Amino acid sequence: MKNQPLLIEQPADSCGITLRSMWDVQADAHYHIKWPKDRVLPMLPNAIVAIYTIQGSGCIRLNSGKVLTISAPSVTFIDSRNIDSYWTNGVVWNLNWFEFLMQGVTAIPFEEPITLNNDQYPEILSEVKSLIASKSETKMNAAVAGFGFVFYKWLTLIDQSKSMSSQEKIVNDVVAKMSENIETNIPIKQFAKETGYTEQYLRKLFIKYLNVTPKQYYLKLKLDASMMMLKRQGTNVKRVAFELGFNDSFHFSRAFKKEFGVCPSSVSDN
């Protein structure tokens, strides 16, 4: 498990945003944090948390008792004062956790996960992480500007999310369920049944909106998660295959090599 804090030692502002910290988290099933136990900065009454879920799924319990389940790919904004605890919902939760302050008044949809197209954000936010880690004042300002760009881009997706067609909502709901059940091996027929449509119709929608079949998408989620899991200390190929619901390590290794061009044993540190 990786839980790396990147702190902004000197306030850096851009586009009306003051970024305080970024956490790069690659969590396993044992990840369970009582907020604000892991904080290394003092709480501020107007701080906002943005949780960008890249892989897998997690749960956030609010002080009200409400539990939010957030699944990849999505971003969720929460008032930092309302958080009680959070944990992995399954075996993997890969996320970036940002804490920031806003100047002026901006309409932010708190506690409402915004569905994302994941392709465009990991690269930008990886660069933001590198800029923060450099500790250079100039690069720190660039990091905040990079986060600001992504933040305002996320906000533009709110109306788009609300105006989704019924077909797009079906696909997004199934994608969320797949992320929440990345460790199991649920038949596609079951996902279709939960939507109230046939497996053939669900396949048609996935090909239309994602250019892959539901089976291919589900497998890709598992393989992407396996790449991260294999780099954990104490994890081997057989264990990863088991935790992600593969029938055996042979079938997992074959699928992994087909996807990434290398054997999983060459990625594992063990």
Side-chain angles (χ1 to χ4, degrees):
M1 183 175 70
K2 176 182 176 183
N3 190 19
Q4 178 185 5
L6 298 168
L7 308 179
I8 316 297
E9 296 177 356
Q10 296 295 327
D13 303 319
S14 178
C15 306
I17 293 174
T18 301
L19 185 62
R20 301 188 75 211
S21 65
M22 171 183 181
W23 291 72
D24 185 27
V25 182
Q26 297 177 1
D28 57 22
H30 304 291
Y31 183 71
H32 194 136
I33 303 295
K34 176 69 175 177
W35 181 260
K37 184 178 180 180
D38 67 338
R39 289 187 58 81
V40 287
L41 291 174
M43 287 279 284
L44 292 181
N46 54 344
I48 300 167
V49 167
I51 303 159
Y52 167 48
T53 296
I54 305 164
Q55 290 178 332
S57 179
C59 294
I60 303 172
R61 184 185 301 279
L62 306 179
N63 291 325
S64 65
K66 179 181 179 181
V67 176
L68 303 175
T69 299
I70 53 178
S71 305
S74 69
V75 63
T76 305
F77 299 104
I78 302 178
D79 185 323
S80 64
R81 296 168 297 181
N82 294 340
I83 301 172
D84 173 78
S85 56
Y86 43 96
W87 61 91
T88 304
N89 180 33
V91 296
V92 60
W93 189 17
N94 183 6
L95 66 137
N96 289 158
W97 176 290
F98 300 92
E99 186 173 340
F100 62 100
L101 305 172
M102 289 292 302
Q103 299 171 12
V105 179
T106 302
I108 298 176
F110 288 106
E111 303 173 16
E112 297 179 16
I114 301 170
T115 301
L116 303 175
N117 178 342
N118 222 8
D119 295 341
Q120 53 190 315
Y121 302 111
E123 185 176 351
I124 297 174
L125 294 179
S126 177
E127 180 65 19
V128 168
K129 181 174 66 175
S130 298
L131 290 169
I132 295 173
S134 73
K135 301 297 184 180
S136 161
E137 182 177 347
T138 301
K139 290 183 178 181
M140 197 70 71
N141 289 328
V144 182
F147 171 72
F149 168 79
V150 173
F151 167 73
Y152 286 110
K153 180 70 174 177
W154 285 338
L155 292 186
T156 65
L157 298 176
I158 298 170
D159 291 337
Q160 179 180 319
S161 179
K162 291 179 180 178
S163 62
M164 278 184 185
S165 69
S166 59
Q167 291 183 341
E168 289 174 302
K169 288 179 180 178
I170 291 171
V171 172
N172 284 333
D173 287 346
V174 173
V175 165
K177 289 181 184 298
M178 287 178 172
S179 292
E180 292 167 20
N181 293 278
I182 204 168
E183 76 281 9
T184 57
N185 199 17
I186 296 176
I188 301 303
K189 185 181 294 185
Q190 180 62 33
F191 287 121
K193 184 179 179 181
E194 291 179 7
T195 68
Y197 295 94
T198 65
E199 185 176 353
Q200 291 74 18
Y201 184 68
L202 185 61
R203 176 187 173 91
K204 179 181 177 181
L205 294 186
F206 264 71
I207 291 174
K208 177 179 179 180
Y209 291 105
L210 299 177
N211 295 317
V212 293
T213 67
K215 185 176 182 179
Q216 290 169 332
Y217 191 91
Y218 198 21
L219 176 61
K220 183 68 163 60
L221 284 182
K222 290 173 178 287
L223 294 175
D224 285 347
S226 73
M227 179 65 82
M228 181 186 77
M229 295 169 71
L230 284 166
K231 295 179 180 179
R232 293 177 185 161
Q233 188 172 5
T235 302
N236 57 40
V237 174
K238 185 178 291 187
R239 180 177 175 184
V240 169
F242 173 76
E243 289 189 349
L244 290 174
F246 286 89
N247 292 330
D248 53 58
S249 56
F250 171 76
H251 287 93
F252 164 65
S253 297
R254 187 171 63 177
F256 188 96
K257 186 171 183 179
K258 183 178 180 180
E259 177 67 26
F260 299 113
V262 296
C263 297
S265 56
S266 67
V267 175
S268 174
D269 293 332
N270 304 281

